[in-house]
Amino acid sequence: MNSAIQVNGLEKKYGAHIVLKGIHFTVEKGEIFALLGVNGAGKTTTLECMEGLRGYDAGSILIDGTLGAQLQSASLPAHMRPLEAIRLFEKYKRTKLQKSVLENLGIPELAKKQYGELSTGQKRRVHLALALTGNPDILILDEPTSGLDINGRQNLHEQIRKLKKEGKTVVLASHDMAEVEELCDRIAILHGGKIVFVGTVEELAKKVGKRYLVQVKTTAGKQSVATGDIGETLLVLLEDFKRKQLPILDIRVDRGTLEQHFMKIAKGEGE
Amino acid sequence: MSAFLYAVALQWRLDIRSKTLLITCYLVPLLFFAIMGGIFTAITPETKDSLIASMTVMGISMGAMIGLPPSLAELYGSDIKKAYQANGIPIGLGITAIFLSAWIHLFLMSVIIYLIAPVAFDALLPVHSLRYFGSLALFLTVSLSVGGVLGLSVKNQAKLTMVSQLVFLPSIMLSGILFPVGLLPDALKFLGKIFPASWGYRLMLGDGSNFLNILPLLVIFFAAGMICVALLRRRKV
């Protein structure tokens, strides 16, 4: 199997409510893949089916490699200390987490605290460390930066990039579009129980009919041009300003954010 | 094996930190023993023969049915189970570690009663100490298995407290440790036989046939064990 994860025709319903209507997607080995969707779209259900925590009604999930998971809602006994939990997981998986991983996640500073005394962000760091024990091939992260401060977020992003460099596959569900855009190689958008898009952010932009907005500020004022061909447009504009001998003060190219594209898909535009 | 031993040792530490298990495994049973031991032996001197067994049955029943279930519910009724399961930690690890840790705590509490009762209340020691402790170990194991069913089947802590009391109180009241079973109506006599306490008490006293006291305990243990396995295998749908 070349792919790390293959999800084929996955169906899941809760009573009469159908959450997943036969979704298909593939996660390639070594990529960072994001699952996007509005609340209740079925992201967590999909991840929990992949982790084996939840049964499903039809379809199949093929996983090639060992899994580590940081869940959206996870806990530990209130009186357990973070390092005790990590040691427990390490002993079961017969591996030891690198000291640098623990330091990057700020675990040593939590050594004397009990789990019940940790903040939300600190708990998420502990669960990420637990997910990394056993050196898994595939890491599933459900809302990994939720509750983290800016430092924690940056450390986590750094950690995720490092994992990719080590050849790990990372699947994450997130509401943070900027994070997804910054980190992920490919994304899948879950909407109405179906996968409505799988591909790169650039491919998504094309799908929703994205046009660049070029804004040029000169001594004569501002000029905005919407275009689908950024290269050609910039050349024409620059030649025009040169010919008119207008000094350029600023140039901005707005290529649209993932959030804008996502909202178009969520509203059913561009499908 | 080292992982398993680490898990049990860790659970032992957590139980000491949490204090809940210490209260139900040591403080309350030993306080009950200190007060009731004095009252029993003062009112009815004959209870000196059975004081060690009766106070031990009371302590073990309290620890197993009121002390153990909340720890299990904390683990299996919450997202702790998911964190373990999603990362490949065996699902039975929690219950095994909690069971063994509680077993050790309750055994120690029983030893304290065994050592103090003769000095404090002039209680008689069992004739066959080895047989007594063997019986105690069996009763302790069976009681914890019933506590295991409670802890795995009721996730809500408030409901669990009520359900635990509903099992613990009749178990103690109908076991014969507070008053002779012969005084009870037939229906209550029968009801008392459902709980391990009545059989454990008889076994520890050496009252009646060993086989007829052990058999019901084994039946309760296997039934509770099978229910625990079924509850552990239950998966979210």
Side-chain angles (χ1 to χ4, degrees), chain B:
Chain B
M1 192 62 187
S2 95
F4 177 71
L5 291 177
Y6 180 82
V8 176
L10 177 58
Q11 187 58 47
W12 168 269
R13 289 202 297 272
L14 294 181
D15 287 341
I16 291 170
R17 271 180 218 156
S18 86
K19 297 180 183 69
T20 313
L21 207 74
L22 289 184
I23 290 170
T24 51
C25 286
Y26 294 99
L27 191 67
V28 178
L30 292 176
L31 203 62
F32 184 85
F33 161 63
I35 297 167
M36 297 308 285
I39 295 172
F40 278 9
T41 49
I43 296 173
T44 326
E46 302 88 73
T47 52
K48 288 177 182 174
D49 299 352
S50 57
L51 188 70
I52 293 176
S54 62
M55 292 298 108
T56 303
V57 166
M58 161 70 194
I60 287 178
S61 298
M62 171 168 269
M65 287 165 199
I66 295 181
L68 177 83
S71 302
L72 287 175
E74 185 197 13
L75 180 59
Y76 290 98
S78 69
D79 292 327
I80 301 174
K81 180 185 169 187
K82 277 166 73 177
Y84 279 31
Q85 224 178 343
N87 287 294
I89 303 297
I91 190 71
L93 173 70
I95 187 170
T96 313
I98 290 172
F99 187 101
L100 286 175
S101 172
W103 200 99
I104 297 166
H105 282 299
L106 289 173
F107 191 82
L108 286 177
M109 181 273 298
S110 304
V111 170
I112 293 171
I113 291 176
Y114 182 88
L115 294 175
I116 292 178
V119 181
F121 305 115
D122 201 21
L124 292 183
L125 284 172
V127 182
H128 303 288
S129 293
L130 202 62
R131 202 185 84 166
Y132 171 79
F133 278 106
S135 305
L136 188 155
L138 176 65
F139 169 61
L140 176 51
T141 306
V142 177
S143 298
L144 286 171
S145 70
V146 175
V149 173
L150 294 175
L152 291 179
S153 53
V154 187
K155 290 178 180 176
N156 180 294
Q157 293 278 4
K159 274 187 195 168
L160 181 59
T161 306
M162 285 191 291
V163 175
S164 295
Q165 294 287 355
L166 282 176
V167 178
F168 169 71
L169 288 175
S171 171
I172 288 305
M173 302 293 285
L174 307 177
S175 64
I177 68 165
L178 299 177
F179 43 81
V181 178
L183 299 175
L184 294 170
D186 287 347
L188 291 181
K189 263 187 216 166
F190 176 77
L191 188 64
K193 288 178 179 174
I194 295 172
F195 303 105
S198 54
W199 301 107
Y201 184 48
R202 284 165 63 92
L203 186 66
M204 285 158 73
L205 285 179
D207 184 7
S209 150
N210 272 344
F211 176 75
L212 289 179
N213 289 329
I214 289 173
L215 188 66
L217 286 173
L218 291 178
V219 170
I220 295 170
F221 176 70
F222 284 114
M226 283 195 295
I227 295 170
C228 285
V229 170
L231 289 169
L232 282 174
R233 286 186 176 169
R234 193 173 48 173
R235 190 164 67 149
K236 243 186 195 179
V237 290

Side-chain angles (χ1 to χ4, degrees), chain A residues 208 254-265:
Chain A
V208 294
D254 180 5
R255 62 183 183 85
T257 61
L258 175 59
E259 188 164 353
Q260 288 166 337
H261 307 325
F262 171 76
M263 290 312 293
K264 281 189 175 181
I265 289 280

